[in-house]
Amino acid sequence: MIVFFLFLSIPFIFLAPVSAQTATPSTDKVEDVKDILKQIVKETSGDNNSKEVSKEPKSFFGTITQTETDQIKITLKNQNNKTLYITQDTTFVNSKKQKGKISDFKSGQTIIAMGYLKDDQSLDCRRIVYTESKAIENINQIITGQIVDISQSQNSPIFVLIPNKNKNSQYQIKTDAKTEIVDLKNTKSTTAKTIITGKKIIAIIQPDAKLTNTFYATKIINLTAETTSNP
Amino acid sequence: MIKEILLAAFVGGILGLGITGGYVTLQNKNISAKDNQKAIVTEPTLIPTQSQSLITTDNPTIDSIKIDSPEDDSLISSSKTNINGVTNPNSHIIIATSTQSFIGQSDNQGKFSIPVSLENGLNIIKVSSINQDNIQKDTQINVTYSTAKI
């Protein structure tokens, strides 16, 4: 009888350990192993310093906030800070546009730094050029809107434009003989055809150096097709 | 003698049934475990509906303007380059550097590629798109043109 019950219990002996097994997600373990391997590769590669990650060269314009023997810190226009690492290969071009050295550069000066980005977003700097902020400034503005009023001044029209972006504001825009007037195909057009009340235009303007709240148009693009009848 | 033969046959039968039952149960458990494992590993598949597309890049209904190349703060060694990007389809594209301006148009997918000339040094390039409803979107990139070896 004992032998009989022993035989009967065979399936349960087999089943017991099997029923304890459950399907476990092996992907997590694989990822863990991958992470460990990556760490080992990183440690055995020699150093943990930041390495160049950008294949393409980068360039940053900013104001110097700090200079040291091997690095310069600058503040970019978006107020972000950037560290520039200086090496023996770094070339300096000073304010006299001559080859200089790091001591030629002081806090408050504006520079263009060229080099390759490291993985910590600092720059492995290869070239630093002193650059006046005003020299690179782009004061042009691109405005789309509708002409609402026109007046003449010394045979050149001055018109008022209401921009599409903010219909509560107005731009007083001056033109002269140098103002380029074109259509959407960049073909030259005339003042008579373009600067008309009600016309929709794109104007490339810049603040007038002499008159406040007045802009000078370098280019006016007629948005209305010529075939359309004028109001 | 007959009793012994019958007992042996009975025990043998029980033994055979036990082993076979155990084996079959074990097989069923293994198959079940494999199925569970597959269920964990398999990633969900997105099924696009009529109003939904799986393609999110180059979306022609993008309500902004994005410059693909050149990258912001890039350094290039040629005075001529193309401003490539994406915006609303069939929009007017106006590009203004500090000294020049350029006009172009986006295609049916909103893509555009407009050749521009650069000044030596840093170029702050302003790019605007004006769509068919005259809605303007603006962006800006900094590109430095230098022939110096870096």
Side-chain angles (χ1 to χ4, degrees):
Chain A
M1 282 302 277
I2 295 165
V3 174
F4 174 71
F5 283 114
L6 270 175
F7 286 136
L8 274 180
S9 65
I10 285 171
F12 301 103
I13 293 166
F14 274 106
L15 282 175
V18 172
S19 61
Q21 288 177 355
T22 52
T24 52
S26 60
T27 48
D28 289 346
K29 287 180 181 175
V30 171
E31 287 303 318
D32 287 346
V33 172
K34 279 181 182 175
D35 288 342
I36 291 164
L37 283 171
K38 278 179 189 171
Q39 187 63 32
I40 290 166
V41 169
K42 199 177 176 184
E43 282 171 6
T44 52
S45 64
D47 62 341
N48 283 322
N49 290 338
S50 298
K51 291 175 181 172
E52 284 176 10
V53 289
S54 68
K55 288 177 186 172
E56 299 300 324
K58 294 291 239 176
S59 170
F60 296 95
F61 175 77
T63 306
I64 298 173
T65 56
Q66 193 181 333
T67 55
E68 290 173 25
T69 51
D70 61 344
Q71 59 178 262
I72 292 176
K73 288 186 177 170
I74 60 170
T75 302
L76 308 177
K77 204 171 183 181
N78 60 12
Q79 299 307 312
N80 286 343
N81 295 318
K82 183 75 64 186
T83 304
L84 319 171
Y85 285 101
I86 310 300
T87 65
Q88 288 179 340
D89 300 327
T90 308
T91 307
F92 297 92
V93 179
N94 62 24
S95 57
K96 293 172 185 168
K97 295 188 177 178
Q98 292 170 342
K99 209 168 184 181
K101 47 189 185 295
I102 192 167
S103 56
D104 294 338
F105 294 86
K106 306 274 184 293
S107 291
Q109 290 180 331
T110 47
I111 56 165
I112 297 173
M114 305 170 208
Y116 292 87
L117 270 184
K118 295 181 169 193
D119 55 8
D120 64 355
Q121 296 303 304
S122 64
L123 192 75
D124 182 5
C125 198
R126 306 291 171 88
R127 186 175 175 87
I128 291 179
V129 181
Y130 174 87
T131 307
E132 284 283 355
S133 183
K134 280 189 177 178
I136 52 95
E137 205 173 353
N138 184 353
I139 56 172
N140 285 318
Q141 296 178 43
I142 302 164
I143 307 291
T144 315
Q146 191 168 25
I147 298 171
V148 292
D149 190 30
I150 303 166
S151 60
Q152 288 288 327
S153 170
Q154 295 170 346
N155 294 327
S156 293
I158 293 178
F159 62 92
V160 176
L161 186 82
I162 295 185
N164 290 341
K165 272 190 169 181
N166 181 7
K167 299 206 170 176
N168 293 321
S169 65
Q170 290 186 341
Y171 287 84
Q172 183 167 281
I173 299 170
K174 205 171 80 170
T175 60
D176 64 11
K178 288 181 185 172
T179 302
E180 201 181 346
I181 300 173
V182 295
D183 62 14
L184 284 166
K185 290 174 184 170
N186 213 14
T187 310
K188 286 203 172 181
S189 185
T190 60
T191 304
K193 281 183 181 175
T194 308
I195 303 178
I196 300 168
T197 303
K199 271 272 185 184
K200 288 178 179 174
I201 60 161
I202 301 167
I204 298 170
I205 58 172
Q206 47 189 244
D208 191 286
K210 294 171 189 170
L211 298 168
T212 53
N213 298 323
T214 303
F215 293 82
Y216 167 70
T218 56
K219 193 170 202 169
I220 294 170
I221 303 156
N222 187 353
L223 266 178
T224 317
E226 291 300 330
T227 49
T228 310
S229 60
N230 292 328
Chain B
M1 185 67 183
I2 294 167
K3 274 185 182 178
E4 287 168 345
I5 290 168
L6 284 172
L7 185 65
F10 179 74
V11 169
I14 294 292
L15 184 66
L17 281 171
I19 291 168
T20 308
Y23 178 75
V24 168
T25 314
L26 190 65
Q27 285 293 315
N28 286 340
K29 285 281 176 186
N30 281 343
I31 289 164
S32 171
K34 276 179 186 173
D35 285 347
N36 284 340
Q37 224 167 1
K38 273 184 189 171
I40 292 163
V41 172
T42 306
E43 289 182 3
T45 309
L46 293 171
I47 300 164
T49 61
Q50 280 184 335
S51 60
Q52 182 188 15
S53 170
L54 289 179
I55 301 164
T56 53
T57 54
D58 300 341
N59 185 354
T61 58
I62 185 170
D63 193 27
S64 62
I65 182 167
K66 183 177 165 282
I67 305 298
D68 294 326
S69 71
E71 283 181 18
D72 193 20
D73 297 320
S74 59
L75 174 64
I76 58 177
S77 55
S78 169
S79 65
K80 294 195 184 299
T81 189
N82 274 32
I83 306 292
N84 302 305
V86 64
T87 184
N88 292 85
N90 306 313
S91 295
H92 305 302
I93 310 296
I94 312 297
I95 297 172
T97 65
S98 58
T99 56
Q100 296 176 81
S101 56
F102 307 88
I103 304 172
Q105 189 157 17
S106 64
D107 64 14
N108 290 337
Q109 291 184 311
K111 291 179 181 174
F112 61 87
S113 180
I114 297 164
V116 298
S117 304
L118 301 175
E119 298 292 319
N120 204 16
L122 178 65
N123 291 258
I124 298 170
I125 302 172
K126 295 179 177 178
V127 187
S128 297
S129 78
I130 295 108
N131 72 7
Q132 289 167 324
D133 298 323
N134 286 332
I135 294 169
Q136 183 176 338
K137 299 289 173 188
D138 306 305
T139 189
Q140 179 177 301
I141 54 166
N142 292 349
V143 177
T144 301
Y145 161 51
S146 173
T147 51
K149 284 190 178 179
I150 301 295

